[in-house]
Amino acid sequence: MRLVSLLPSATEIVYALGLGDDLVGVTFECDEPPSARVDKTVVVGGRDTRGMAPGEIDAYVRGQFAAGADLYTLHAGALAALDPQLILTQDLCRVCALPSGHVEDALEHLGCRADVLSLDPHSLDDVLGTIVAVGDRVGVPQRAARLVAGLRARLDAVAGAVGARPRPRVLVVEWVDPPFTAGHWVPDLVRAAGGEPVAASPGARSVETTWPRLAAAAPDVVVVSPCGFHLDGAAEQARQVALRFPGAQVWAIDADGIVVRPGPRLVDGVEALASVLHPGTVPDRPGAVARVA
């Protein structure tokens, strides 16, 4: 089956299911595995925000939305030339990827008959369910079931290691300028890792807030996990956040790798958080998290 992925997490799911050879198109943000955007046709482009400060990125996003413009550009001709049978996209977040409606309109205009599967998880369980949904749609349900069973076994192992320990109060900051709370599946990751999420929006969108409100939540641990950034970028921002929480541990985490993208590596995120919240219960994850002094 000829597959096109219009979001990085779907690309990760496709490869985790052993279907990399079936994937013909990706987005410019699909960097896991790194070969994806080199070996496959890039059918969605967008602005390269590397080098922009969080406040500048926020201003750009708000300006685009105010103007009624999209953040992403669908290369419709390139997509049609690939003659895909199934396109994986989402409606969850306009900041993260093209909405499925935009894709379907483009396909109708082009006369392309590809099916569109929208992956819109709101919880960690939902994320695992999207893996099953993709496996069912592409004809490898048993492969998907084995993958999900392995991920659940790892979650069970973490739960067994941390279950009897006190739960620290954990604040996850998903954006720093302006500050945003953690939403959707991120509070589930904290709970699975043996923490108690505070100032969070489980199952719902992340929302803008203020630093005084976040400080009032009295977190024991602050995890800086800015969407669109890996560990180095998160650590740079976390150093400033640490000044606002002198009584808490402040950590940076590889947000794009293991927290904000709803794919199989969220379980890596649970394990990394557990290593932070309950040292010694699970193996350390160097390169995934870093404490900020």
Side-chain angles (χ1 to χ4, degrees):
M1 179 177 287
R2 296 174 64 80
L3 306 174
V4 167
S5 168
L6 300 187
L7 61 162
S9 58
T11 298
E12 294 187 27
I13 290 171
V14 168
Y15 275 94
L17 290 173
L19 299 170
D21 290 342
D22 296 283
L23 188 66
V24 294
V26 297
T27 82
F28 76 111
E29 293 181 315
C30 292
D31 59 0
E32 179 59 36
S35 60
R37 57 185 176 187
V38 176
D39 298 340
K40 312 300 180 181
T41 299
V42 174
V43 296
V44 172
R47 182 169 179 177
D48 186 352
T49 58
R50 288 176 297 181
M52 296 174 65
E56 293 173 328
I57 296 173
D58 180 75
Y60 166 69
V61 170
R62 292 175 190 267
Q64 289 292 100
F65 287 165
D70 288 320
L71 297 176
Y72 299 91
T73 302
L74 179 65
H75 304 317
L79 176 62
L82 294 175
D83 191 26
Q85 296 169 282
L86 178 65
I87 299 173
L88 304 174
T89 184
Q90 60 95 53
D91 285 313
L92 191 69
C93 176
R94 286 183 64 198
V95 179
C96 300
L98 278 168
S100 63
H102 287 41
V103 178
E104 290 168 342
D105 290 345
L107 294 177
E108 183 176 355
H109 176 73
L110 294 166
C112 184
R113 299 181 179 180
D115 290 333
V116 177
L117 177 61
S118 185
L119 306 177
D120 302 302
H122 293 271
S123 67
L124 180 55
D125 271 346
D126 288 348
V127 173
L128 299 180
T130 64
I131 297 173
V132 173
V134 173
D136 286 345
R137 185 64 69 92
V138 300
V140 292
Q142 293 181 336
R143 198 180 300 178
R146 288 194 298 271
L147 174 58
V148 170
L151 294 172
R152 289 194 182 279
R154 289 167 60 191
L155 291 171
D156 289 344
V158 173
V162 305
R165 291 176 171 252
R167 289 181 169 264
R169 296 170 58 81
V170 182
L171 169 65
V172 179
V173 181
E174 285 201 7
W175 197 252
V176 302
D177 186 13
F180 273 73
T181 63
H184 296 309
W185 52 85
V186 178
D188 292 346
L189 305 188
V190 172
R191 289 196 180 95
E196 181 60 36
V198 299
S201 305
R205 295 181 184 274
S206 302
V207 295
E208 184 178 346
T209 184
T210 65
W211 291 113
R213 287 177 182 169
L214 295 180
D220 302 306
V221 179
V222 178
V223 179
V224 180
S225 178
C227 186
F229 290 85
H230 290 289
L231 182 60
D232 288 347
E236 182 178 346
Q237 296 173 43
R239 294 185 188 99
Q240 297 302 313
V241 173
L243 301 176
R244 301 179 180 274
F245 297 92
Q249 292 185 28
V250 178
W251 290 77
I253 194 166
D254 179 0
D256 261 12
I258 59 176
V259 177
V260 298
R261 292 179 178 177
R265 289 192 296 164
L266 288 186
V267 176
D268 294 25
V270 171
E271 293 167 343
L273 288 170
S275 74
V276 166
L277 303 180
H278 302 286
T281 59
V282 299
D284 291 339
R285 298 299 298 266
V289 289
R291 187 169 180 179
V292 177

